[in-house]
Amino acid sequence: MFWNRIKEFWTKKIVKKKLLNVKHLVTNDSIKKVGIVIDETYFDNKEALISELIKNGIRQENIFQLVFKNNSKKNESFDCAFFTYKNLSWIGTIDKREVSEFIQQDFDLLISYYDTEKSPLLLVTHLSKATFKVGFASIDKRLNHFMIDITTENYKVFIFELFKYLKILNKL
């Protein structure tokens, strides 16, 4: 636990330093492929979140999810890619194949579904090659293109607001 806090501190410092030189490239392409980064510590209703995306016209095969867990048990099984503090290195990288593959995918939209700043989540969002990133207003403003000021428990309102503004921005 102590080592995780030190890793958290150093990685957050590295990410904040990288955010000083961030350049946002926004395209006018429509949203087809969506990636979701979820912090399962504070939000465990990911199926309902995905069903809301599907209701709004995103095809299920075009939705990819990556879940962060504080701890994982040895024999615990998962239906999607996940990562923990154990996968975080001291130099601000995540050493897990599934996470690397997620980061390298060209998403049209990345939803950073967490409202607490944890360095592994910030790192994945920052390194992602998504063309449009959406997150919560409580997270560093330089990380996302668009922020919604709400809590994670209100996922229906989050999706409603997201699609309302995606229509205004001609992304749908």
Side-chain angles (χ1 to χ4, degrees):
M1 189 67 175
F2 174 73
W3 294 113
N4 286 344
R5 289 186 186 184
I6 292 174
K7 272 200 245 183
E8 171 84 17
F9 172 77
W10 283 112
T11 305
K12 196 176 280 189
K13 190 172 181 175
I14 290 168
V15 170
K16 296 283 183 177
K17 188 175 179 180
K18 288 180 181 181
L19 286 175
L20 293 174
N21 300 323
V22 72
K23 303 238 186 317
H24 289 294
L25 301 173
V26 180
T27 64
N28 291 329
D29 296 339
S30 64
I31 304 296
K32 291 179 183 68
K33 193 173 180 182
V34 177
I36 307 172
V37 180
I38 300 173
D39 183 3
E40 201 173 73
T41 310
Y42 298 107
F43 183 76
D44 60 354
N45 203 358
K46 62 183 182 263
E47 292 83 18
L49 178 67
I50 291 171
S51 70
E52 286 295 318
L53 287 171
I54 293 168
K55 285 179 189 174
N56 283 285
I58 304 295
R59 297 176 58 169
Q60 184 162 3
E61 59 269 10
N62 291 336
I63 300 173
F64 301 88
Q65 54 185 320
L66 180 66
V67 175
F68 175 77
K69 297 179 68 75
N70 278 340
N71 299 314
S72 67
K73 298 175 179 88
K74 280 190 176 184
N75 296 328
E76 193 173 10
S77 64
F78 296 98
D79 58 346
C80 63
F82 77 98
F83 66 110
T84 64
Y85 278 112
K86 291 178 185 177
N87 305 117
L88 185 65
S89 74
W90 290 94
I91 58 171
T93 60
I94 297 176
D95 304 323
K96 191 166 184 181
R97 183 183 50 80
E98 293 91 354
V99 178
S100 298
E101 290 172 359
F102 184 87
I103 289 171
Q104 295 303 317
Q105 288 194 39
D106 294 322
F107 294 118
D108 300 317
L109 173 66
L110 178 72
I111 300 173
S112 301
Y113 207 82
Y114 54 89
D115 59 358
T116 304
E117 286 192 1
K118 292 183 180 176
S119 60
L121 295 165
L122 297 175
L123 186 64
V124 167
T125 300
H126 174 67
L127 294 176
S128 174
K129 291 187 176 183
T131 56
F132 193 70
K133 299 177 183 178
V134 175
F136 288 89
S138 59
I139 303 301
D140 194 324
K141 310 295 184 240
R142 300 169 291 182
L143 203 57
N144 296 307
H145 298 103
F146 184 71
M147 282 107 8
I148 298 174
D149 191 15
I150 200 165
T151 60
T152 57
E153 293 82 24
N154 297 325
Y155 65 92
K156 287 185 179 185
V157 176
F158 179 87
I159 296 297
F160 174 78
E161 291 294 319
L162 172 63
F163 279 91
K164 179 172 82 173
Y165 284 103
L166 287 177
K167 287 176 187 170
I168 291 170
L169 296 170
N170 291 325
K171 294 256 182 213
L172 293 177

